[in-house]
């Protein structure tokens, strides 16, 4: 068992006014792949470095596999790491680079060789074992760094932006490879990225961080579909979730959302919010769109039409608010024309406009 239990970790760097991690508690289950994602400076690297033993918390504890490692040096924590700067040794061949950690641990030579071959096979590096890093592409070097981390068979794998040095296409390819490799190795994995697509794609669960705290933690689809706060909906997704203000009005036919001078039927559960101003959240791909007026749909004006190949992305104005709408690829729309939108009730989310937190009824 190599579960990671992080309990109430607080860290403030000397001279800083804000906490880098502000009372974070988090459990990564044995064999789980958990991604820490969030904007620059939210504390994800600090959290990872504390788990690694490269930074000490001011308070709180970290246990790995039931053992309190809070005060143990990195080398005694049974973990391996991959960083953004993959830090492979330029003067060592791929073979020695991959085997480096094993040699350091005084593993017998024959066994090092066997395990290096195995890892090289998994990462498709067998043909490159005798090369120096300078003779490899960026993607191959990254694979060497991953091979070096997995070859030691540590219970815990920590990765900090390991794909960020790769160009966009390679990044996408290697992302899928990495997912396969980590599943095969079965290590408990904590992975840091600021790239929301990477987080969604890799994580069994995703922890979205904001200013030293975890804003939301859950399986990627849940966090994407049901953001617990406006910040999360705005951070995950390309385009981010749309938000627009509305007022709840309850009349004889049930609750309605007033959006400017238009009205939209609202779910019954909003009945308790009569007269209140709220923020409505909806994903671009959940908005239905047509080019002729329909009863109960919201009229909006098209600003920009962007074909993306798989779809058409529309930027529209709804009562003065900009929304992104993802229409089918064949959808015909022109700028400065009207379209009509219907957000299906089950895909609407409702937030408090002051706090940005999801409403109890949503
Ligand atoms: P990024 O994606 O930019 O790496 P991050 O989410 O990983 O950001 P951290 O690097 O953990 O964030 O930083 C959290 C906060 O702590 C930031 O405000 C940062 O400026 C501060 N910080 C990080 N390292 C140090 C340090 N060594 N000394 C002082 N402050 C630091």
């Amino acid at each position: 068992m190599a579960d990671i239990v992080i309990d109430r970790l607080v860290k403030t760097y000397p001279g800083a006014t804000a906490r880098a991690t502000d009372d974070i508690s988090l459990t990564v289950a044995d064999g789980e792949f958990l991604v820490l994602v969030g904007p620059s400076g939210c504390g994800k690297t600090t959290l990872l470095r504390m788990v690694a033993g490269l930074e000490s918390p001011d308070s709180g504890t970290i246990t790995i596999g039931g053992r309190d490692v809070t005060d143990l040096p990195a080398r005694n924590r049974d973990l391996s790491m991959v960083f953004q700067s993959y830090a492979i040794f330029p003067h060592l061949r791929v073979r020695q680079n991959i085997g480096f950690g094993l040699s350091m641990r005084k593993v017998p030579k024959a066994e090092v060789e066997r395990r290096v071959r195995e890892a090289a096979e998994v990462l498709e590096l067998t043909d490159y074992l005798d090369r120096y890093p300078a003779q490899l592409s960026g993607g191959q070097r990254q694979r060497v760094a991953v091979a070096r981390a997995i070859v030691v068979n540590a219970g815990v794998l920590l990765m900090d932006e390991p794909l960020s040095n790769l160009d966009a296409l390679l990044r996408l390819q290697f992302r899928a490879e990495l997912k396969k490799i980590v599943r095969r190795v079965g290590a408990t994995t904590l992975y840091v990225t600021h790239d929301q697509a990477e987080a969604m794609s890799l994580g069994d669960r995703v922890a979205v961080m904001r200013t030293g705290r975890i804003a939301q933690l859950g399986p990627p689809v849940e966090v994407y579909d049901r953001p617990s706060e406006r910040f999360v909906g705005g951070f995950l997704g390309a385009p981010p979730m749309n938000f627009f203000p509305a007022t709840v009005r309850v009349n004889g036919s049930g609750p309605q959302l007033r959006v400017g001078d238009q009205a939209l039927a609202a779910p019954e559960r909003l009945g308790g919010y009569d007269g209140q101003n709220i923020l409505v959240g909806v994903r671009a791909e959940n908005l239905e769109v047509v080019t002729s007026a329909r009863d109960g749909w919201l009229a909006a004006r098209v600003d920009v039409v962007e074909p993306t190949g798989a779809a058409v992305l529309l930027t529209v104005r709804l009562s003065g608010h900009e929304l992104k709408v993802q229409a089918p690829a064949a959808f015909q729309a022109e700028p400065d024309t009207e379209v009509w939108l219907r957000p299906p009730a089950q895909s609407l989310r409702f937030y408090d406009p002051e706090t940005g937190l999801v409403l109890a009824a949503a």
Side-chain angles (χ1 to χ4, degrees):
M1 278 288 282
D3 56 335
I4 306 170
V5 181
I6 294 166
D7 191 34
R8 312 203 65 173
L9 275 196
V10 176
K11 169 82 183 173
T12 310
Y13 287 103
T17 46
R19 289 174 165 184
T21 64
D22 190 4
D23 206 14
I24 290 186
S25 297
L26 173 70
T27 297
V28 192
D30 184 44
E32 185 181 23
F33 195 135
L34 192 137
V35 179
L36 302 172
V37 68
S40 182
C42 69
K44 27 190 210 304
T45 294
T46 301
L47 184 59
L48 190 83
R49 287 176 59 84
M50 287 194 284
V51 175
L54 301 174
E55 207 71 70
S56 343
D58 304 336
S59 60
T61 57
I62 302 162
T63 59
I64 296 178
R67 187 168 65 121
D68 187 337
V69 299
T70 319
D71 298 318
L72 288 185
R75 64 177 182 282
N76 295 340
R77 293 190 182 198
D78 182 31
L79 45 83
S80 55
M81 295 174 248
V82 185
F83 292 112
Q84 176 179 354
S85 54
Y86 22 75
I88 51 179
F89 303 113
H91 61 288
L92 296 183
R93 293 178 195 272
V94 168
R95 175 188 310 283
Q96 282 113 24
N97 259 297
I98 298 178
F100 186 79
L102 296 175
S103 305
M104 291 296 283
R105 286 170 169 82
K106 307 258 182 293
V107 174
K109 251 193 166 149
E111 165 132 14
V112 173
E113 177 59 24
R114 186 183 63 74
R115 282 164 69 175
V116 166
R117 289 210 147 269
E118 233 175 64
E121 206 154 293
V122 172
L123 282 137
E124 293 172 21
L125 287 167
T126 308
D127 294 343
Y128 305 97
L129 282 172
D130 290 317
R131 292 207 192 173
Y132 288 99
Q135 300 166 309
L136 300 176
S137 71
Q140 289 161 344
R141 275 180 230 162
Q142 195 64 46
R143 292 216 290 269
V144 173
V146 173
R148 191 173 63 179
I150 64 168
V151 78
V152 295
N153 277 340
V156 170
L157 195 52
L158 303 177
M159 295 195 250
D160 192 351
E161 305 262 10
L163 307 185
S164 59
N165 281 327
L166 306 179
D167 67 42
L169 184 61
L170 208 53
R171 198 177 166 124
L172 218 59
Q173 287 170 349
F174 196 55
R175 187 170 87 187
E177 275 180 47
L178 191 65
K179 189 166 180 169
K180 191 169 73 181
I181 292 158
V182 171
R183 178 169 305 141
R184 183 162 157 179
V185 172
T188 307
T189 304
L190 195 54
Y191 185 104
V192 162
T193 181
H194 65 274
D195 179 335
Q196 53 88 25
E198 204 168 290
M200 295 275 303
S201 128
L202 289 173
D204 294 322
R205 285 188 303 159
V206 172
V208 183
M209 290 183 62
R210 178 188 193 185
T211 54
R213 288 171 173 272
I214 294 174
Q216 189 170 5
L217 169 66
V221 173
E222 183 186 305
V223 178
Y224 181 85
D225 281 345
R226 305 188 159 274
S228 61
E229 52 183 279
R230 181 187 184 166
F231 166 80
V232 174
F235 185 76
L236 292 184
M241 186 175 245
N242 293 302
F243 295 95
F244 59 91
T247 308
V248 181
R249 290 268 179 250
V250 182
N251 59 26
S253 57
Q256 279 193 330
L257 289 169
R258 303 289 310 178
V259 185
D261 56 3
Q262 307 192 66
L264 185 70
E268 282 300 325
R269 61 185 195 274
L270 278 185
Y273 291 84
D274 191 18
Q276 290 192 31
N277 296 324
I278 63 167
L279 211 49
V280 179
V282 64
R283 293 265 176 214
E285 68 271 24
N286 290 334
L287 282 163
E288 288 177 60
V289 56
V290 292
T291 49
S292 51
R294 289 198 193 169
D295 251 10
W297 291 48
L298 299 170
R301 193 143 198 93
V302 177
D303 264 353
V304 187
V305 179
E306 295 173 84
T308 62
V312 177
L313 188 64
L314 307 176
T315 306
V316 306
R317 292 212 148 257
L318 170 68
S319 303
H321 297 282
E322 191 179 284
L323 302 187
K324 300 283 187 190
V325 180
Q326 188 180 305
F331 189 79
Q332 301 283 338
E334 295 295 329
D336 297 322
T337 59
E338 252 186 329
V339 289
W340 283 263
L341 306 173
R342 184 175 63 175
Q346 75 279 4
S347 61
L348 290 178
R349 305 285 165 249
F350 307 110
Y351 299 87
D352 182 317
E354 300 295 320
T355 62
L357 298 178
V358 76
L359 295 179

